Amino acid sequence: RRLDAAGYEEVKTPQVLDRTFWEASGHWEKYRPNMFVCETVEGEELSLKPMNCPGHVQIFKVGLRSYKELPLRMAEFGACHRYEPSGALHGLMRVRGFTQDDAHIFCREDQIVSETAEFVRLTRLIHGDLGMETAYVALATRPELRAGTDEFWDKAEGMLAEAARLA
């Protein structure tokens, strides 16, 4: 109900996607060792989805879009599968299969701060519904393995830090 009230459209994406989708998103190059991959008898390389991003991007790309339609908010309770080395598996913290409450917001650059702050407020509401309190918001900065330039990351981190302060 909270996601619906906040303007999220619930979507479902396929469990298996062709390699080309993972290559286009950059996941194949950066994340391939953590993906379950199989080859079909026709020679296609497919992967169980470790995340929902490429599927949501494909939904966004259907048809022509106008900047006036933005923001577009998608949510999915999606099953994901990640190849975690056996030594890394740890109870419910590191598993190979899980369902995640995941969302992607497609917005203009001038909407990033407000959309992110609103998402943090929504998260706090949902935590409250579950009897939990969000004591603080932590900003995870650029990982060692990443796509994009340092200039891009500087800008993105600055906008996210501003949104965290507003939330």
Side-chain angles (χ1 to χ4, degrees), residues 7-111:
Y8 283 81
E9 180 182 344
E10 188 171 347
V11 298
K12 277 284 186 211
T13 57
Q15 288 297 301
V16 178
L17 290 174
D18 187 86
R19 171 186 179 158
T20 57
F21 293 105
W22 302 109
E23 288 174 334
S25 69
H27 289 96
W28 192 263
E29 177 188 349
K30 305 284 186 192
Y31 202 74
R32 169 62 190 91
N34 297 95
M35 297 170 69
F36 286 106
V37 177
C38 67
E39 189 173 315
T40 67
V41 292
E42 292 89 12
E44 298 172 292
E45 281 188 282
L46 308 172
S47 174
L48 282 172
K49 68 177 180 179
M51 56 214 45
N52 299 309
C53 317
H56 291 189
V57 169
Q58 291 307 307
I59 293 170
F60 178 77
K61 288 171 61 174
V62 171
L64 295 175
R65 300 243 181 231
S66 166
Y67 71 94
K68 295 176 184 178
E69 296 177 73
L70 301 177
L72 178 62
R73 302 175 191 102
M74 289 183 211
E76 179 171 5
F77 295 94
C80 295
H81 303 84
R82 297 179 181 172
Y83 177 73
E84 298 284 356
S86 60
L89 297 174
H90 181 71
L92 293 176
M93 301 300 290
R94 295 288 293 267
V95 295
R96 290 185 171 157
F98 56 93
T99 299
Q100 72 179 15
D101 179 355
D102 191 19
H104 289 87
I105 301 169
F106 297 87
C107 63
R108 298 186 317 265
E109 188 173 330
D110 66 314
Q111 297 172 319

Side-chain angles (χ1 to χ4, degrees), residues 139-161:
L139 175 60
T141 55
R142 69 193 78 185
E144 189 173 317
L145 183 62
R146 65 183 178 273
T149 64
D150 284 342
E151 178 182 273
F152 172 84
W153 278 89
D154 290 341
K155 187 174 189 174
E157 288 170 345
M159 295 173 99
L160 293 174

